[in-house]
Structure formats: C-alpha cells, structure tokens
Amino acid sequence: MFASLHPARRIAAVAALVAAFGFGASVPAALAAEEAARPERIVSGDARGDRVVHLALSKSKILDFDDEIRDVLVSDPKIADAIVRSSRRLCLIGNKFGTTNVVVFGAAGRPIANLEIQVEIDTRALESLLHRLLPKSSIRVEAVRGTVILSGTVPSNGDAVQAYEVASRFVGASADIKGSSSSSSSSSSSSSSSAGSTSSSSDQSGSSIQVVNALSIAGKDQVMLKVTIAELQRDVIKKLGVDVAASPVGGNHWSTTVSQTSVFPITSATTANSYGVGYNAGVLDLTAKLQALEQNSLMRTLAEPNLSALSGEQAQFLVGGEYPVPVSQSSGSSGSTIGVEFKTYGIALNFQPVVLAEDRINLTVKTEVSELTSDGAVTIGTLTIPALRVRRAATTLEIPSGGAMVLGGLIKDDVRQALAGTPGLMSLPILGTLFRSRDFQHSQSELVIFIQPLVVHPVASSKLQRPDANFRPSGDAAAVFMGRLNRVYRANGQSPNGSYAGQFGYIFD
C-alpha cells in the first residue's frame, strides 16, 4: 500500500494511521522503527572512496545498490556479517564491537563499493533514555571502538552519578546477547566532575564495553554549615573533717602524742577552710581543727561557627589554643634532650558536604569540644602537665538544604563520695564525726550540637558589613575627662554606616 508513496508521505500516513487507532503516544517509536527499516541506497561510483557505515551491535542495516551484486568479501566475519538477500540488496549484521571492511563486487569482478564497518553500541537509545530521566541535563553519548563516552553538563553531582549508573546498566543489558551473563560495576566521585569506567563482557559474542564518564557539573554548589555548640556544666564539692592532736606536757622520760589528720582522696587538689581550737590543761595539750568546704560551680560553653565549602571539599574550624607537652627526643652520654610538642584544644569542627540534588545534601560532620583540666594531670618533678577533657561526635547523614539536626545525648553525671577516719571510732553514732572526714563531688554536664546546612551563593561585597566598620577610638579629651575608650554616636550627630534592627543605641554603655 505504501510502496508507491513518497518517503515523507509514507511517514505522515503511518503517523495518521497510528493516531487514528488511538496510539498517539507511540508515534515517535513507530517513526523511529520505520526510519531504521528504510534501506540505504548505494549509488554507482562509491568505489572511488571508502564509505563509513555505523552499525549497532546485534542489529542489522539494509543497503540497496544500483548495480547487481555478484560477490561480497568480509575481512572479519566475527565483527560483521554480510548477507545478499537479492541481486541488488545487501544486509549487514553487527556481531562484535570493532571495525572491519566489506568489499562488494559487481559484474566481471569489478568492485562497486568498499564499506568501512564500525560496530558500536546504539547511542541514540541511551541518549534518549538519559534525556528522559534527567531533563535538566545536557548529555551527549558517543561510542568509539567499544567505549561509550558520556559528555556534557549536569546540574549536580548526583545527576552525574545517576547518569553513569544508568549508562552502566544499559551497556550491560546491550552486551548480554545470546543469553550470556554480564556483570557491571559502577563507581561515583564527589568531585566537581566525576569520572569512572565499567566493563561488561559476553562470552558468546566476545564483546567488551567500557563506559567513561566525562560529565562536568554546570555550577559548583557551595554549602554553608551553621553549627551551634552549647554545653552546660555544674560541679558540687563538699568537704568535712576534723583534725585532732593531743600530747602530754612535762615529764622527763616518756612522751605520748595522739594525732588524727583528715584525708580527702577525691578532691585533694581543692584546699578546705580550716577552723582551729586548742586547750591546755597543764598536763595535756589538746588541739582540734575543723576543715570544711562547700563549692558550687556553673559553666556555660557556647560557640556558633559558620563555615562554607564547595561540594566535595572539606572545611575545618578551631577556636581554642595549644598547650606544650614535654617529650623526650634523644638520649646519649651527655643526658636526655627534652623537646616540646603542642597539643590543640578548644572547639573544633570538620565537615565535608556533597550536594546530591537541589534538596539533598550528603554531610559528614566531625566536631570536638576539649578543655584543660587538673583531673588526670601528670606531675614530673616540679612540672605539672594538665590533662585534656574531650567530648567528640562524628556522623554522616543526608539532610535537605535548610533542614536542621541535633546531636544530643552527650550527658555526663558523676557522683563520688568517700569516708575516711579512725577505725572503730569513726563508726560511733554522734562522736564518730570527730574521727572521720567526708569527701563528696557531683559533676553534671550536657553537650548539644545543632547543625544546619544551607546551599548558598556568593553575594556582592557592598552587602557585607565589617564588624569594626563603626568603631572609632575616642580622643584624648573624651578618654581623660569622660573615661571613654570609644567614640559614642548619637542620633543628632555622626551616625554609623548601615542599618540596625531591634533595640540599639550606644555601642557600649
């Protein structure tokens, strides 16, 4: 029916017929199939040069010649087959990735065509699939000698990884011909342009496919991490003890002394207050000293570091200091040489963001809060090396831009109590208090970390305000007579640059 129609009219007729039966959604597929099945004509005179024919793996192509075909020579039948269907029609079938040539002979053994066959993967189907799955990306697919190259731009690193995985699976399915098994492996990169390769092999066909990801990110995303570190510590220390000493007065031969000293094993570094009293009865000298202490301490630690980093890069933050630690470096006949190493302490933050999509951020966070303490300190001679109290947390999670998470549960609650005294006497109901000492310590702390990642963009420098932009030192007269360290701005005088929100007035009261 359609054999006598013009090619353009045949395509229009096929589209109208498909639409009439209610299959409008499959019109592009029908047109593509009709276009692929259309024979390619080889006119006379092509023997003067080589004709390149691109052939998809495990697919065929029909070539029509003006001259009659008498013989066909295929240099490598493992790569492509050439079948003569009629005196003027030749069918090519791709068997294996690679290149070969086919020489077609006409009457009297005259070559009428020299075909350079390149067997490749069907890139049009893969490119159409990637365009449908990633509409915001511009991906080009090229096939060169069994290697599929993905090039172009994608909005984010997540789209690049997804395109790479789809191409790897697509290649594996294409190479799995004749029921052979195929294996594919994929890898992802967190840099601005990800690259990788995967291979899929078929034992029956001998095909081997490599996928090269040469996609680049259209714009490198920047992530700002807003972190709030809040810690509250409360310590309660109590000490109570009695020191008693008694000795006789006079006598030339014997002397006897009775003494009891309070021992505080838990908080020995803290000195208690002493209250003493003495009594001399002529023959007996009696002294008693009461040691008592009650101490309450409360400490709050707050830090709000804000850091920005490119997607896939690391950013670090540290507010604190370094303390020296003596280290033995070498020893010889002249003695040991002592060196110094510095250890950092304070509030540290390390994070690495990877923007997977517009609303998804893969975030690796490591944070640490440390401080110097006398608990666990080491004393060498006259040198005391302080210990380090550390609270550390590390996690990896996915969170949307602008979302927040809380690292909590870092709670510490220690209760220590000790009783020491004279055996037997310290157990007396009331008088035992004079012969024993009590040491009590209660420590409580809670650390909470709030994390909020944001995808940010650069701003103009005119929108930024320096923290010291409005600071002006006062003159000599104001410093001497008014006791001012800085200049005070008033409403009717010189005003600072910028605008303020909320309650504001003088810089310092």
Side-chain angles (χ1 to χ4, degrees):
M1 174 180 178
F2 298 105
S4 60
L5 295 178
H6 191 270
R9 294 180 180 178
R10 274 190 292 160
I11 296 176
V14 171
L17 182 61
V18 172
F21 282 96
F23 299 101
S26 60
V27 169
L31 294 178
E34 201 273 344
E35 181 70 18
R38 182 189 304 171
E40 185 175 342
R41 176 167 293 278
I42 306 297
V43 299
S44 302
D46 282 349
R48 293 175 297 179
D50 297 338
R51 182 186 181 93
V52 179
V53 178
H54 297 277
L55 188 60
L57 179 66
S58 303
K59 293 188 179 181
S60 60
K61 178 172 288 191
I62 303 174
L63 300 180
D64 286 347
F65 290 82
D66 290 346
D67 299 332
E68 293 187 355
I69 302 174
R70 297 298 179 86
D71 195 7
V72 177
L73 174 63
V74 181
S75 61
D76 192 351
K78 294 182 179 180
I79 295 179
D81 285 339
I83 302 175
V84 180
R85 304 298 299 176
S86 65
S87 61
R88 297 178 184 272
R89 174 165 291 183
L90 180 66
C91 295
L92 301 177
I93 302 175
N95 297 330
K96 178 183 175 182
F97 288 112
T99 58
T100 185
N101 70 314
V102 176
V103 181
V104 182
F105 298 93
R110 179 178 60 87
I112 60 176
N114 184 13
L115 307 177
E116 293 290 338
I117 308 298
Q118 296 183 2
V119 181
E120 303 167 345
I121 192 174
D122 188 4
T123 59
R124 293 183 300 177
L126 178 57
E127 190 169 337
S128 176
L129 176 62
L130 293 176
H131 179 70
R132 186 170 68 254
L133 296 178
L134 304 172
K136 296 182 180 181
S137 303
S138 177
I139 303 177
R140 298 183 298 273
V141 182
E142 300 178 7
V144 180
R145 297 184 60 86
T147 301
V148 176
I149 302 175
L150 303 180
S151 60
T153 58
V154 290
S156 64
N157 185 74
D159 291 341
V161 174
Q162 184 177 357
Y164 176 78
E165 293 179 351
V166 170
S168 301
R169 301 300 185 270
F170 186 91
V171 165
S174 299
D176 189 12
I177 64 175
K178 299 183 182 179
S180 62
S181 60
S182 63
S183 61
S184 63
S185 61
S186 63
S187 63
S188 63
S189 172
S190 61
S191 60
S192 60
S193 61
S194 60
S197 64
T198 182
S199 62
S200 178
S201 60
S202 175
D203 298 335
Q204 298 276 352
S205 63
S207 302
S208 179
I209 309 173
Q210 299 290 330
V211 176
V212 177
N213 192 346
L215 296 172
S216 60
I217 309 300
K220 297 181 180 179
D221 294 316
Q222 299 185 62
V223 178
M224 183 182 71
L225 192 67
K226 300 178 65 176
V227 179
T228 301
I229 301 174
E231 183 182 20
L232 195 63
Q233 295 183 11
R234 180 175 180 267
D235 292 331
V236 177
I237 298 176
K238 295 181 180 180
K239 289 184 177 184
L240 181 62
V242 178
D243 293 343
V244 178
S247 60
V249 178
N252 298 323
H253 303 285
W254 300 92
S255 63
T256 303
T257 302
V258 178
S259 176
Q260 174 194 318
T261 304
S262 298
V263 179
F264 301 104
I266 297 178
T267 57
S268 58
T270 304
T271 303
N273 299 326
S274 298
Y275 308 92
V277 62
Y279 175 74
N280 192 334
V283 296
L284 181 65
D285 190 2
L286 178 65
T287 59
K289 183 172 64 174
L290 176 66
Q291 297 191 35
L293 172 67
E294 182 173 353
Q295 176 178 315
N296 295 328
S297 61
L298 187 65
M299 184 181 70
R300 177 195 181 194
T301 302
L302 181 64
E304 294 182 328
N306 293 339
L307 285 180
S308 298
L310 290 176
S311 175
E313 301 296 332
Q314 288 189 1
Q316 296 180 354
F317 169 87
L318 175 64
V319 173
E322 296 182 346
Y323 68 98
V325 177
V327 177
S328 177
Q329 293 183 343
S330 62
S331 60
S333 58
S334 59
S336 300
T337 302
I338 304 299
V340 176
E341 289 186 359
F342 288 89
K343 303 294 183 179
T344 60
Y345 69 95
I347 299 175
L349 173 66
N350 187 341
F351 82 101
Q352 181 178 8
V354 177
V355 180
L356 302 179
E358 294 181 358
D359 57 346
R360 250 192 335 149
I361 301 175
N362 182 281
L363 190 63
T364 300
V365 181
K366 297 179 181 179
T367 183
E368 178 180 300
V369 179
S370 58
E371 60 181 343
L372 299 178
T373 177
S374 58
D375 296 339
V378 178
T379 302
I380 304 176
T382 59
L383 180 63
T384 301
I385 303 174
L388 199 63
R389 180 183 298 149
V390 180
R391 281 83 71 203
R392 183 182 296 116
T395 183
T396 300
L397 68 154
E398 289 187 7
I399 188 172
S401 176
M405 66 157 296
V406 179
L407 297 179
L410 300 176
I411 301 175
K412 176 185 176 183
D413 192 348
D414 291 341
V415 178
R416 299 180 182 181
Q417 187 169 206
L419 292 176
T422 304
L425 297 178
M426 61 178 293
S427 301
L428 296 176
I430 299 177
L431 297 178
T433 306
L434 301 176
F435 300 96
R436 67 171 175 259
S437 61
R438 177 177 179 260
D439 197 0
F440 174 81
Q441 182 177 2
H442 188 193
S443 300
Q444 293 176 310
S445 67
E446 182 176 3
L447 176 64
V448 181
I449 303 171
F450 300 85
I451 299 175
Q452 182 183 16
L454 297 168
V455 178
V456 296
H457 304 282
V459 299
S461 59
S462 59
K463 297 183 179 181
L464 301 178
Q465 186 75 14
R466 289 172 42 186
D468 62 337
N470 297 321
F471 175 79
R472 298 292 186 274
S474 63
D476 293 339
V480 173
F481 297 103
M482 303 298 296
R484 293 176 179 173
L485 299 178
N486 61 282
R487 185 172 300 175
V488 178
Y489 299 100
R490 300 185 184 277
N492 56 356
Q494 183 183 2
S495 61
N497 299 326
S499 59
Y500 293 91
Q503 298 180 357
F504 62 91
Y506 301 112
I507 296 180
F508 292 105
D509 291 336

